[in-house]
Amino acid sequence: MDLESIAEELYAGSPDDFVERRTRWVAEARAARERPLAKSISQLRRPSRSAWMVNLLSRQASDDVRALLDLGTALGEAQQRAAGDDLRRLSSQRQAALAALTRRAGELAAVAGHAATETTRQEVSSTLQAALADAAVADLVRAGRVTSPATYGGFGPLDLFAGAASPPPSAMQAAAMAKEPGSGSEPPEQPPESDQARREADEAVGRASEVLEAAEHEAAQAALDAEDATRRADELAEAVEALRERLQRAEDEERQAGELARAARRRASQQQRAVADASRALAEAQGALGPSVGQRGDRQSAT
């Protein structure tokens, strides 16, 4: 019994009975007097539905998952080289791989008896996306030990993906544009309508940014609430298991006490029969002894 094999068994199964199966392992470890192992097992967290789908991918589509993670490495290297063509090509491959793996995760979940929702599909895609930029997430995905959906925070090698599709014009292109008739060395004066449209667009971007920030905050809070609820459920499951163990011990003790009581009653009954038998034997002996003593006394008087 070791933590690695137990964790593999737990995360390879459905999250529906994860807590029940973990509780059994904890009980076995405690029965074997392996308290540190029991504690480590109890700290294994139940995966969410989308995390379970990612874990399914890591086990049943491991080659495709490995290829996606390798693609993330290649993207990081292309970014360091500032290779715009490679970035655009690899970014396109990344999008296709993410879409294919997300569909595959839904198919695997359906085979296992769970229909993927739009939310779980989005969480699978975001977790895989995060694995491309975060080595810790990538390790969890590769091992099939994801417990909750991950999101990419926008810092790191993926920052240039959006800009890779539309590189800035080269110096020659800029010079050619500057030589176009009417261009001159100064930018053309923008009409007032353009300024107004630009201000409105800036305001719209600001409002959208605020909405996005609020949504991200709410999503982060919801993730924390979900984790707290999961932790509470795990704690209650452990408490229930402890009560079950106490109940089991009490029932065992009750059975043993019942057996001892029945054995004691049998012995008491046997002793009572023995006493009754001894009493009858004593009475018979006394009855037999009484006349003999009387006859001896009569003969002595006659003499």
Side-chain angles (χ1 to χ4, degrees):
M1 183 186 300
D2 63 273
L3 182 62
E4 180 65 24
S5 60
I6 292 171
E8 178 62 23
E9 187 273 336
L10 288 174
Y11 287 108
S14 170
D16 293 340
D17 60 349
F18 181 93
V19 173
E20 179 182 351
R21 289 183 289 114
R22 183 189 60 189
T23 299
R24 288 200 297 267
W25 280 115
V26 170
E28 289 188 22
R30 288 174 178 169
R33 300 184 181 278
E34 297 187 21
R35 293 293 177 180
L37 177 60
K39 182 178 180 180
S40 297
I41 297 172
S42 68
Q43 292 173 343
L44 296 174
R45 294 304 173 199
R46 181 178 64 86
S48 67
R49 182 66 62 191
S50 62
W52 167 73
M53 291 169 63
V54 174
N55 294 338
L56 277 180
L57 282 175
S58 73
R59 288 173 172 81
Q60 301 188 35
S62 57
D63 291 342
D64 294 334
V65 171
R66 189 180 304 110
L68 175 68
L69 298 179
D70 291 343
L71 186 59
T73 302
L75 278 163
E77 293 173 351
Q79 176 182 329
Q80 292 177 356
R81 298 194 310 270
D85 291 341
D86 288 346
L87 276 172
R88 287 190 295 276
R89 175 178 55 81
L90 293 172
S91 181
S92 177
Q93 293 178 7
R94 172 185 64 93
Q95 293 291 357
L98 284 172
L101 281 174
T102 301
R103 287 194 301 271
R104 178 62 172 154
E107 294 169 356
L108 292 174
V111 171
H114 295 281
T117 64
E118 182 61 27
T119 298
T120 56
R121 283 191 290 267
Q122 290 176 355
E123 289 176 348
V124 168
S125 180
S126 69
T127 300
L128 295 175
Q129 173 93 349
L132 293 172
D134 191 324
V137 178
D139 289 342
L140 290 175
V141 170
R142 192 177 291 108
R145 304 287 173 81
V146 181
T147 59
S148 60
T151 57
Y152 173 60
F155 302 96
L158 299 185
D159 285 344
L160 294 185
F161 286 174
S166 301
S170 64
M172 294 181 63
Q173 290 173 328
M177 292 171 61
K179 291 179 181 179
E180 291 182 358
S183 62
S185 59
E186 296 293 334
E189 183 178 354
Q190 298 293 328
E193 293 81 1
S194 298
D195 293 340
Q196 178 65 24
R198 179 58 182 268
R199 284 194 297 272
E200 292 177 354
D202 289 341
E203 292 174 359
V205 169
R207 290 192 298 270
S209 298
E210 292 176 358
V211 172
L212 174 61
E213 182 178 356
E216 289 177 342
H217 175 75
E218 292 178 2
Q221 185 60 49
L224 291 175
D225 292 342
E227 180 63 23
D228 290 341
T230 300
R231 186 180 302 108
R232 178 58 177 164
D234 292 343
E235 291 173 353
L236 291 174
E238 293 171 6
V240 169
E241 177 59 25
L243 291 174
R244 285 174 177 167
E245 291 180 1
R246 291 176 57 186
L247 176 61
Q248 183 63 47
R249 288 195 297 270
E251 290 176 344
D252 292 342
E253 292 174 359
E254 180 189 18
R255 284 192 294 271
Q256 294 174 1
E259 293 174 357
L260 291 174
R262 286 190 292 272
R265 287 195 296 270
R266 286 194 297 270
R267 288 195 299 272
S269 179
Q270 293 171 355
Q271 292 300 321
Q272 289 173 354
R273 288 194 296 271
V275 168
D277 293 342
S279 296
R280 286 194 296 271
L282 175 61
E284 292 174 358
Q286 288 176 340
L289 180 63
S292 298
V293 173
Q295 292 174 357
R296 286 197 299 272
D298 292 341
R299 285 194 298 270
Q300 289 175 356
S301 298
T303 305

